[in-house]
Amino acid sequence: MPDRSPFWSVVIPLYNKGPYIEATVASVLAQSDPDFEIVVVDDGSTDQGASLVEALPDPRIRLIRQANAGVSAARNQGIQASRGEFVAFLDGDDLYHPECLARLRALHGQFPQACVLGGREQRVAHDDMAGHRFSSLPAQLPCRIVDNLPAEFLRAGLPFSSSSVAVNRHLLASLPFAFPPGESMGEDLDLWFRLAELGPVALIDAQIAVYRVGIADSLMGSYRALELLPVWLRLEQRATEMTAASEVRRASLRLVAEMRLTLARVLVVKGMRTAAVKLWVSGWRAIVGRRWWFTVLILLSPRLAALIR
């Protein structure tokens, strides 16, 4: 292992992704910016994935094994083992565009004050991944700074994913925790919102990673929340402690209200109307939007809710 620390530490949490992990690691090895290390954290897999990684000969790859503790613990372990200036994240069944790290480094050069660097992802069906070919990226791409991530989320959704983002390692080390231990839904959002409260986020308008969609046993594909995720409760708590005139505060509280409306719709479809009404009422900060009023119609007509779920 060379004495000089790399610019990038790519942290890959691995849990039973044996059929995909070689392609995931290969997409990092194919980067046009070679100044990286790869830290794969096997979270107690029961398949052959860790052995496949262990057999890869590139000295930039390190495999860490731990007893199964969840994706947050795996990513946190990878962060602790990282040596790069920036920690980039990649899920064990996703892929980097060949220019992903190079474009993020250029973004850092343009906005050195940004603590988070991100780009868009491309969603590709699992059945189409074998034939997927990356398109070339233009030499010049739009880049911008986001100072209010909750407002950005309200406007157009999260502008990056857990496989298309990198964070200053020293900033991560300064946090009480990075990814919330024991959580596997919304744990990444929790970190991104907390980081965005500490400094600006720089974004590049390009698809720099591929997100694999439609794996049969995907947790995200089958998940339907029946209660508000901790990420939203913590965001709300932090927002209430901000200056009342803060734009981030207003956007954060509005975002949590919108999440309550979304959950209310899920609950009414499942016949839990009392709980749905309570969520609708508690989402009063979204009263200025059409979704709050339209949710009234859904509460009055479960048949309508079933059509739009």
Side-chain angles (χ1 to χ4, degrees), residues 8 44 56 78 96 107 131 168 180-181 222 228 231 241 255 269 274 283 296:
W8 303 105
L56 296 173
Y96 273 166
L107 184 65
N168 181 281
S222 61
L228 209 61
V231 53
E241 298 169 356
L255 176 55
V269 170
T274 300
V296 177

Side-chain angles (χ1 to χ4, degrees), residues 83 115 124 137 185 196 240 244 251 300:
R83 302 180 302 115
C115 58
V124 177
L137 298 178
M185 297 303 304
T240 59
L300 294 174

Side-chain angles (χ1 to χ4, degrees), residues 239-286:
T240 59
E241 298 169 356
M242 295 178 185
T243 304
S246 167
E247 291 295 328
V248 174
R249 179 184 191 274
R250 282 194 285 267
S252 298
L253 294 176
R254 171 69 184 277
L255 176 55
V256 176
E258 293 287 349
M259 292 302 106
R260 286 194 164 99
L261 294 185
T262 298
L263 180 54
R265 295 181 179 202
V266 172
L267 295 183
V268 75
V269 170
K270 294 182 176 294
M272 304 168 66
R273 295 191 71 254
T274 300
V277 170
K278 289 180 179 179
L279 279 166
W280 171 72
V281 172
S282 66
W284 62 269
R285 286 190 174 89

